[in-house]
Amino acid sequence: MASKTPIKLTVNGQQREVLVHPRELLIHTLREQLGLTGAHIGCETSHCGACTVDLDGASVKSCTVLAMQANGSEVLTVEGLAQGGELHPVQEGFMQEHGLQCGFCTPGMEVRAYRFLQENPDPTDEEIRKGLAGNLCRCTGYQNIIKAVRYAASKLATEKSREMA
Amino acid sequence: MTTVTESQVRADEQQNRGCSRKRKEDPRFIQGKGNYVDDIKLPGMLHGDFVRSPFAHARIKSINKEPALNHPGVHAVLTAEDLKPLNLHWMPTLAGDMQAVLADEKVAFQNQEVAMVIADDRYIAADATELVEVEYEELPVLVDPHHAMDDDAPVIREDIAGKKEGGHGLRLHDNHIFTWEVGDKDATDRVFDEAEVTVKQDLLYPRVHPCPLETCGCVASFDSINGELTVHLTSQAPHVVRTVFSQLSGIAESKVHINSPDIGGGFGNKVGVYPGYVVASVASIVLGRPVKWVEDRIENLSTTAFARDYHMTGELAADSQGRIKALRANVLADHGAFDSCADPRKWPAGFFNICTGSYDIPTAYARVDGVYTNKAPGGVAYRCSFRVTEASYLIERMIDVLAQKLDIDKAEIRRRNFIQPEQFPYSTPLGWEYDSGSYPAALERVLEAVDYEGLRKEQAEKRARGKLMGIGISTFTEVVGAGPSKNCDILGVGMFDSCEVRVHPTGSAIARFGTKSQGQGHETTYAQILGTEIGISSENIQVEEGDTDTAPYGLGTYGSRSTPVGGAAAARAGQKVHAKAKRIAAHLLEVSEDDLEWDVDRFQVKGVPDQAKTMTEVAWAAYNDVPEGMEHGLEAVEYYDPPNLTFPFGAYVCVVDIDRHTGESHIRRFYALDDCGTRINPMIIEGQIHGGLTEGFAVAMGQQLAFDEAGNILGASLMDYFVPTAVETPQWELDYTETPSPHHPIGAKGVAESPHVGSIPCFSNAVVDAFAHQGISHMNMPHDAYRVWRTIHELGLDAD
Ligand code: FES
Ligand code: FES
């Protein structure tokens, strides 16, 4: 097998250097090498979104990104959402609105919702549904996930207006 | 003085029964700190991956492991030959059959496990599976269960060929598993012979898959020094798995440790014991290192525990007013190559005999025949208790078929046949005793909420304009809470469940259960039940499940049994603690117990509320100042064996608009009223219902595990198998009534299966109703756009 190559990643704000195989998937690097088991594997075919992470400002399914492709990138996983012991509004939203049951889809959903709200800070329900269509949930039926995203949107908007004031 | 308001404030602070408090499990899940099986990494851990059969039926002529074994990083390749000396190449199923752990001389379904490669990492293991050379000789394949018992049908199970007896009585053919009959056949036939009206309809409930987002997996670790086997695995029933593992391996049950950590959804898929668990454990024993096996999505969909596959014929006999006199049901059940469904032992077709539903049908007879085919084994209770989904589908479809024949409104025919509230407890002709219900009130409330009359008018007007609009109704009765050990057991172990609770000196408590949450929120719900009974806040009660070392024996979580059985155990254990606490309080206050009254979190002297001892004070005293002769401590254990099952029910209405050019269905409204008896946490109940309705929508509108003639599974990935996204999923409207179960300690009935069971016929009834004016009385699921369009096209409704 081809030998390992060192790559550099900034993961949740921290510089990391790891040795990866040329065919190693980013999800495996994150989970197995960096011990970040928040992102999950539900299909390995880009369909379920359980492995969603944020890569240089875009949501990606880390089961279909080679670790080497991510060399030099900034990666944000669910573990990096909370800052200074404070939950991110997206996390708070999921908890307040009962947007999760088994919790397996949740990290991917949250990381996607985080990015989606930057793309569209004031979405309609319809837009939230479309924005989260790449992430499957088998437990919740989505209705409360949509509420959770709405909760986060309004909280983020309030925070922003406070910052501007 | 204590006022009512004051105790109300204290009660609110406790966030106990009836409160929509936020879930205790959420902080870890939302921060990525859940601990699922695939998150477990042990020192020296190896990875297993299966070599699987490309054919549905073939003889294995030879297996050459050498090339795989020579691959760097490969530690072992295990086949049936390797398991044979340990007598582990076959295992008993939960349904009284035997299943090949690794294919023994032949394969009987596509993707059957043939060998496991164990290697340094999952990439190497996957590579090496390609190097195992298996030579197959293809055999004729049996796909259609209707031909399973033909004279010239290929024999699927050579191991039991010629055997006249199976786990459930007589076998009529080499591919026959069992016949299960309930009810009075002769009486039913007589009613049919004399009936004014009869209807008959074939209904196919296709093979579907629970498809939880987390697949199945395990990490097995054998400690050869102490002779102990630890297996972390995705199980809804860890204690039963431990019993099976002990029986299989011969290791004392006390030295087998099963741990089910956080589970990413189960829905019935994670009840059974799968070959992967067994082979990974053997590999760990053989290699002396931990072995992880986690299946991928294709393996999950194609080999682990499918559901349904019931080929049913329903018949109703009635008078001209639509009063039903008898029901007859004949079912052919396709169980695949091994009968490994997880039903209680005496119920080979599960609780299918609930098929008389919510209706007062005096006479009934049902017969189910199980057969083998070249498909994956299983037949699990997918989000239902043991075939109640199939049963409800049958009756809820049939009552519509009858209504249509008699030209009676579909709500009206239900009204005419409902079991009335005063008839409870109600004995059905197929052997159940329903505990409580209020069916007419539930239906009327729903009809009013959706303006049923208005909808029917709108429909008539739309039909006149050539538009397709359907209104579906479903008024179902569920049967959950398995179960009384007098009639329900798994492998001979009665289906009780358990709670062990210990209140610490400072007044917080730990409680452990024999059930296992897969997302249902047990840590919160159980704490709320216990909190109310004991008089402490749910916040201060830590709930644990899944670790067989610490949790009391219980039968696990499926079939909505957690609240009806585990919840009852919690209530009773809480009451035991409460009773002891009362004796301690009486001692502390130096009064007799009879002089005490309870107020939320404290015992107070009757008429003198200032003289009181809070539960926190009592807890402390339990460890330093107890009445003479009393044991210290404040704890209790309860193994609750329910006297009966519980019977939640509901009334649903679905409104669908269908595009007559594309066949696409748009669910315009779905109104669901559920009655699950006493409600513990309304927020969690709502979430469970949303989830169940969404899974019901998926089954009715798009899911099917299909096979071609050669037994190739068509569409075993999420690319082809329909799992709805947020875009397709309809908006749900919920409502409830509350009819407590009279025999449950706190009246709770269980809820999570109801929306699945109740919604599927409701969707179907709505789609079929859109074509009722064209004389269509039934269409088989799934009602995807193509199939609906075909009906439209055949009827010529897409012309112009
Ligand atoms: S695991 Fe990556 S999308 Fe499913
Ligand atoms: S919460 Fe279980 S898959 Fe979404």
Side-chain angles (χ1 to χ4, degrees), chain B residues 580-655:
Chain B
K580 180 169 181 183
K582 191 174 187 183
R583 276 185 277 143
I584 298 172
H587 159 75
L588 297 175
L589 292 161
E590 296 178 352
V591 294
S592 101
E593 279 186 62
D594 297 339
D595 293 331
L596 291 179
E597 60 185 6
W598 173 249
D599 185 51
V600 184
D601 61 349
R602 62 195 56 185
F603 295 96
Q604 54 198 28
V605 178
K606 281 181 192 159
V608 202
D610 285 349
Q611 281 206 41
K613 286 288 168 196
T614 65
M615 190 47 89
T616 319
E617 291 169 313
V618 172
W620 187 262
Y623 293 86
N624 74 4
D625 184 8
V626 289
E628 212 178 300
M630 182 188 271
E631 244 180 280
H632 281 85
L634 195 54
E635 58 185 67
V637 186
E638 169 76 23
Y639 286 83
Y640 181 77
D641 187 5
N644 189 6
L645 292 113
T646 57
F647 296 84
F649 59 93
Y652 294 177
V653 167
C654 171
V655 184

Side-chain angles (χ1 to χ4, degrees), chain B residues 277-289:
Chain B
Y277 304 157
V278 178
V279 186
S281 301
V282 173
S284 177
I285 294 171
V286 171
L287 297 168
R289 288 172 67 172

